[in-house]
């Protein structure tokens, strides 16, 4: 049984055996299950916990586990058809009330057992600082007041760390702790920023392609994502200016460093121009700096965040620890200057009250430990190794598809498909071959000019699995082409 699915597999196996036991019948002991299925005691404990949560098993301390009695009466089947009318009703602005999480769920859903996860949005456990995280969480729980209510803006020490960390990337930025709000990860920060900066019905400018979670946030808020084309050096300032003028938008969201999905870095000559264009239009730039802690070993010196060159408060900066650690360490930050900071704070308080204090304390313990810089160095080396494995496999097995260069940061590659390989057909064929790809359509706010696929090289176990995933992808290409 594989590590992440072994508890689920054992639970399924036990469920199939339940027919042998009458209600109230005692199941084999945990020790017997360990020996029979050759799994760890932790796996047995987790499998039984799943079955208990599903109401199939009852555990009695000191006595063992028993098959639960069936419910006395089956639940009454209700009629929920009325909800279709209620949920499709239009809001006061005349906008339909709908939320599409498909693009987000594609990176969160766990693929079936045996399927290689090329569509993942988070690092594989082998890339996570699991021991330092566990140690940090244990220490955090023992901190005085760790389970009390934190300040709504975040712990002062953590705000100060974010200010110093972000400021260190840009000399003379002058970012202070007073300009930082601690958030529950980057997605929460984006949600707060868009709700604070644009009302329902308003246009919001986004790069095209862009991160599907951003499009989902904007649409859930009733806003209209408006695409601004990019190239190898990021967003084109002249097209940004035209889009601001033509749409009347007052918000532009971008990822200037190792953009998701293209991997582009905003060109040095464009950085100040983007801020100047937005300032002239009276618009905010939301800088999603998600990949700051994901440079590869050969990335060289990184450009400073846009917020470092912005004394006038044009840029609202988003930072997060999640991508470089674990999907469950949902701790990030918003940085802003001027009256907008109070608007952001108010929206966050209304939506979330505050970020869990134990999680903030654990983040502080982690980033303040000697293990933190060691982890970042190791992650940088491993990402470079995995990028090389993907590049080599693509060159050998899909030479017509491989990009000329791969990003030197982040953990994905953006591939343009030939005209004879439709996205949807490739995605389905790849799943049949045992590999999950991320189709490109959800990354576009409007109709794309070509088919694409995004391959993540961080959600898999090692370079060998990357090579196997590309082999399966190549077979999928061949199947689609007939």
């Amino acid at each position: 049984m594989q590590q992440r699915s072994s508890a689920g597999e054992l639970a399924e196996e036990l469920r199939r055996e339940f027919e042998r036991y009458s209600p109230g019948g005692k199941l084999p002991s945990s020790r017997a299950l360990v020996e029979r299925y050759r799994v760890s005691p932790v796996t047995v404990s987790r499998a039984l916990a799943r079955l208990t949560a599903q109401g199939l098993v009852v555990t009695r301390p000191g006595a063992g586990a028993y098959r639960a009695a069936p419910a006395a009466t089956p639940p009454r089947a209700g009629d929920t058809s009325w909800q279709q009318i209620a949920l499709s009703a239009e809001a006061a602005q005349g906008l339909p009330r709908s939320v599409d999480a498909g693009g987000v769920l594609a990176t969160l859903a766990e693929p079936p057992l045996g399927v290689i996860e090329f569509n993942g949005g988070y690092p594989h456990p082998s890339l996570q600082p699991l021991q330092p995280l566990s140690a940090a969480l244990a220490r955090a729980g023992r901190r005085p007041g760790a389970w009390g209510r934190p300040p709504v803006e975040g712990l002062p020490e953590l705000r100060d760390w974010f200010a110093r960390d972000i400021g260190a990337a840009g000399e003379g930025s002058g970012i202070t702790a007073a300009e930082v709000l601690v958030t529950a990860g980057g997605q929460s920060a984006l949600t707060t920023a868009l709700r604070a900066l644009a009302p329902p019905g308003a246009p919001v400018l986004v790069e095209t392609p862009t991160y599907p979670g951003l499009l989902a946030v904007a649409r859930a808020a009733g806003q209209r994502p408006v695409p601004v084309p990019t190239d190898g050096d990021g967003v084109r300032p002249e097209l940004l200016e035209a889009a601001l003028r033509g749409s009347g938008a007052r918000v532009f969201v971008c990822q200037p460093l190792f953009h998701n999905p293209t991997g582009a870095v905003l060109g040095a000559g464009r950085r100040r121009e983007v801020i100047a264009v937005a300032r002239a239009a009276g618009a905010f730039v939301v800088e999603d700096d998600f990949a700051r802690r994901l440079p590869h070993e050969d990335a060289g010196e990184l450009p400073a965040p846009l917020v470092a060159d912005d004394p006038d408060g044009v840029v609202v900066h988003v930072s997060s620890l999640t991508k470089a650690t674990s999907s469950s360490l949902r701790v990030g930050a918003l940085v802003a200057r001027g009256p907008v900071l109070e608007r952001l704070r108010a929206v966050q308080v209304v939506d979330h009250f505050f970020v869990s204090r134990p999680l903030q304390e654990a983040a502080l313990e982690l980033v303040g430990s000697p293990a933190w810089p060691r982890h970042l160095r190791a992650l940088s080396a491993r990402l470079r190794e995995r990028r090389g494995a993907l590049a080599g496999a693509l060159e050998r097995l899909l030479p017509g598809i491989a990009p000329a260069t791969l990003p030197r940061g982040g953990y994905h590659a953006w591939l343009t498909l030939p005209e004879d390989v439709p996205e949807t057909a490739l995605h389905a064929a790849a799943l049949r071959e045992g590999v999950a790809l991320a189709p490109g359509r959800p990354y576009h706010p409007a109709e794309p000019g070509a088919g694409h696929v995004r391959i993540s090289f961080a959600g898999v176990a090692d370079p060998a699995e990357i090579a196997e995933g590309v082999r399966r992808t190549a077979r999928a290409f061949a199947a689609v082409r007939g």
Side-chain angles (χ1 to χ4, degrees), residues 147-313:
W147 294 94
R149 184 180 63 201
V152 294
E153 299 89 352
L155 296 179
E157 302 93 334
L158 188 55
R159 296 170 71 196
D160 182 64
W161 181 85
F162 271 114
R164 287 184 285 105
D165 187 65
I166 296 167
E171 294 297 328
S173 64
I175 296 171
T176 67
E179 296 164 337
V180 176
L181 296 176
V182 176
T183 68
Q187 185 75 2
S188 176
L190 288 173
T191 300
T192 296
L194 288 193
R195 279 191 13 89
L197 300 178
V204 172
L205 302 189
V206 299
E207 298 163 307
T208 186
T210 193
Y211 163 54
L214 167 62
L215 300 177
V217 165
R219 289 166 177 155
Q223 298 157 353
R224 297 185 292 110
V226 177
V228 183
T230 61
D231 58 22
D233 288 323
V235 69
R236 295 170 56 185
E238 75 279 9
L239 296 181
L240 173 62
E241 183 176 20
L244 286 166
R245 184 172 58 250
S247 68
R250 292 296 177 264
V251 180
F252 168 55
V253 188
C254 61
Q255 294 177 329
L257 183 65
F258 307 132
H259 171 264
N260 178 13
T262 66
V265 176
L266 186 63
R270 296 183 180 183
R271 295 168 52 80
R272 291 185 182 275
E273 194 174 354
V274 165
I275 296 175
V277 165
R279 178 70 179 85
F284 289 98
V285 174
V286 178
E287 177 187 23
D288 181 9
D289 202 22
F290 79 102
R292 176 67 51 179
R293 298 173 184 88
L294 303 175
H296 301 172
E297 201 172 37
D298 57 351
E301 184 176 357
L302 302 184
L306 295 182
V307 71
D309 300 321
D310 171 43
D312 299 328

Side-chain angles (χ1 to χ4, degrees), residues 13 46 97 136 202 209 211 219 261 297 366 368 404 412-413 429:
E13 185 69 26
R46 289 177 175 173
R97 300 161 60 194
Y211 163 54
R219 289 166 177 155
E297 201 172 37
L366 177 66
H412 50 262

Side-chain angles (χ1 to χ4, degrees), residues 380-401:
S380 179
R382 290 171 182 168
L383 288 176
R384 179 186 182 184
E385 178 188 27
R386 287 162 177 251
R387 184 197 71 202
L390 178 63
L394 287 173
E395 186 61 34
R396 290 192 309 273
L397 301 168
L398 287 169
I401 310 302

Side-chain angles (χ1 to χ4, degrees), residues 323-361:
K323 292 290 188 183
T325 55
S326 162
S327 56
S328 288
L329 188 68
R330 304 213 62 77
V331 175
L334 278 166
V335 178
R337 292 180 167 123
V340 69
L341 183 62
E342 181 56 33
R343 174 79 66 86
L344 292 165
R345 175 182 177 274
V347 170
Q348 172 154 302
V349 169
V350 168
D351 284 352
H352 307 291
F353 286 6
F354 48 76
V355 178
S356 161
R357 179 159 189 162
L359 206 56
Q360 292 190 61
E361 298 279 9

Side-chain angles (χ1 to χ4, degrees), residues 91-128:
Q93 296 83 9
L95 298 170
R97 300 161 60 194
S98 62
V99 180
D100 181 6
V104 179
L105 290 173
T107 62
L108 295 178
E110 187 174 295
L113 185 65
V115 173
I116 293 176
E117 192 174 0
F118 270 174
N119 63 337
Y122 293 101
H124 187 270
S126 63
L127 297 178
Q128 297 175 20

Side-chain angles (χ1 to χ4, degrees), residues 78-94:
D79 179 9
T80 60
S81 57
W82 65 272
Q83 294 185 4
Q84 297 180 46
I85 299 173
L87 293 174
S88 62
E90 294 187 348
Q93 296 83 9

